[in-house]
Amino acid sequence: MALVIKNLEKRKIKKFIILYFILSLFFFNDAVSNESGKVLSFVAGCYGCHTSNPNQPFGGGYEVKTKYGTFISPNISKDELNGIGNWGKEQFIKAIKEGLSPKNKPYYPVFPYNWYTKMKESDILEIYDYIFSLPAVKKNNANHDLIFPYNIRESLWFWRLANKIITNKNNIEYNSKYNSRGEYLVNSVGHCGACHAPLTFLSIIKDYKNLGGRKETSKFSNDSIPNISNDINEGIGLWTESDIVFFLQTGIKPNGDFVEEDMALIIDHGTKYLKQDELQDIARYLLKIKK
Ligand code: HEC
Ligand code: HEC
């Protein structure tokens, strides 16, 4: 906390919303610091992406708008009718790591299972236990609203094949081990590249470790995503380790600007719950600083 205050004094602050972040930091520190399943489910985005109403955690209904149409996240609470109450641990792990349903139907990669592929099973099971420790949410699932041919789930078999060919060929490192907690949090649990990695054909990602950002898809769409590599000109190479830690706690950039939209949610529902040393590890990984 002291670090947050010290950093705040150093910066010119532009938006009131910061207060909200600081207050929720206090609140969080007191309430739930030991619940690792909860923290993992927040940092991995499971909570953020599967919750549209905070009174119905994991009840689904959150909309993800893409150029393929709008995806509506399903209910993954322990409700037996609408959620995953009937699922065993094996089925849960298979969905998260392989993107396949208990009946072997493929999931759309908007559910970022390609990042979770290398998540530790023990971490996935902590998330499972956390979700099953909460009340069931009785909320129906809505259908995605996708354009043809993406609305045909079977076409995902083609996507999976293309993804396998393109990714494996160009990204040998993808199957290597993580060298630090920071790298694991960035490239697996926190799936930062799900937004910050450049896309190719059919939104396939060639290199899961490339955080070079995305260009706008059209002049009107305003959907570019910044480069967060350690490049000094294009990326965040001039940020310090504590700039990054502070940003992932509060959403405030080194120039005093407050972060916008999607990234604000990633922080508010995710990274601000991480411990100080984990955030430092992320910062070191992003800046490629050796310990
Ligand atoms: C960016 C949004 C997003 C994130 C982050 C996300 N999911 Fe999902 N998830 C989805 C969407 C959308 C679907 C539906 C995919 C489909 O219909 O093919 C889904 C599907 C699922 C399913 C299958 C449900 C069913 O009824 O078949 C499970 C289980 C699940 N997610 C759990 C998780 C867990 C656990 C995490 C965190 C480790 C997570 N999700 C993170 C968006 C997300
Ligand atoms: C859902 C998409 C999404 C995910 C996932 C995501 N980001 Fe972002 N991120 C964005 C967007 C959009 C912006 C631009 C927001 C802005 O500039 O105000 C951004 C901005 C940033 C910035 C500021 C860059 C700059 O130059 O201003 C940093 C640093 C950052 N993200 C780090 C991360 C890290 C670390 C992770 C993983 C823990 C992550 N992001 C995951 C969408 C995402």
Side-chain angles (χ1 to χ4, degrees), residues 40-50 58 62 64 71-76 82-84 87 91-92 95-96 99-102 105-113 116 119 124 127-128 131 141 144 146 153 156 189 191 194-195 266:
L40 283 164
S41 77
F42 275 53
V43 178
C46 329
Y47 170 83
C49 215
H50 282 278
F58 302 101
Y62 181 84
V64 186
F71 292 92
I72 303 173
S73 67
N75 184 334
I76 58 162
N82 309 295
I84 59 166
W87 290 31
Q91 291 163 318
F92 189 75
I96 310 304
L100 292 173
S101 79
K105 295 246 189 244
Y107 290 122
Y108 287 97
V110 60
F111 165 30
Y113 62 84
Y116 306 143
M119 233 167 119
I124 296 177
I127 294 176
Y128 178 93
I131 291 174
N141 286 318
H144 306 313
L146 306 177
R153 189 172 287 276
L156 283 169
V189 183
H191 60 279
C195 296
I266 294 290

Side-chain angles (χ1 to χ4, degrees), residues 15-171:
K15 305 226 167 117
F16 282 117
I17 200 160
I18 293 159
L19 262 179
Y20 167 74
F21 269 83
I22 304 295
L23 285 175
S24 52
L25 256 182
F26 272 116
F27 178 75
F28 170 72
N29 281 344
D30 293 343
V32 280
S33 47
N34 294 324
E35 295 176 9
S36 67
K38 173 169 185 167
V39 172
L40 283 164
S41 77
F42 275 53
V43 178
C46 329
Y47 170 83
C49 215
H50 282 278
T51 306
S52 53
N53 172 353
N55 297 322
Q56 298 183 319
F58 302 101
Y62 181 84
E63 294 185 2
V64 186
K65 296 197 169 63
T66 71
K67 63 179 174 182
Y68 308 108
T70 302
F71 292 92
I72 303 173
S73 67
N75 184 334
I76 58 162
S77 76
K78 71 173 177 196
D79 186 45
E80 292 191 359
L81 196 59
N82 309 295
I84 59 166
N86 291 324
W87 290 31
K89 295 182 174 176
E90 294 293 315
Q91 291 163 318
F92 189 75
I93 292 175
K94 183 165 104 180
I96 310 304
K97 276 180 163 300
E98 297 172 44
L100 292 173
S101 79
K103 291 189 175 147
N104 283 323
K105 295 246 189 244
Y107 290 122
Y108 287 97
V110 60
F111 165 30
Y113 62 84
N114 277 315
W115 273 266
Y116 306 143
T117 296
K118 293 185 70 193
M119 233 167 119
K120 290 180 202 146
E121 287 197 2
S122 55
D123 283 353
I124 296 177
L125 291 176
E126 290 214 40
I127 294 176
Y128 178 93
D129 289 342
Y130 174 62
I131 291 174
F132 276 75
S133 74
L134 298 175
V137 176
K138 297 199 186 325
K139 184 169 188 287
N140 292 338
N141 286 318
N143 290 327
H144 306 313
D145 181 11
L146 306 177
I147 51 177
F148 180 80
Y150 309 109
N151 55 350
I152 304 171
R153 189 172 287 276
E154 279 62 35
S155 65
L156 283 169
W157 290 116
F158 169 73
W159 186 89
R160 289 169 77 98
L161 185 68
N163 180 57
K164 208 171 167 195
I165 295 168
I166 295 179
T167 300
N168 279 352
K169 203 166 74 193
N170 295 293
N171 188 15

Side-chain angles (χ1 to χ4, degrees), residues 243-260:
D243 284 339
I244 297 179
V245 171
F246 186 67
F247 173 77
L248 294 174
Q249 286 173 324
T250 63
I252 303 169
K253 299 182 184 183
N255 64 2
D257 278 347
F258 193 76
V259 71
E260 281 164 28

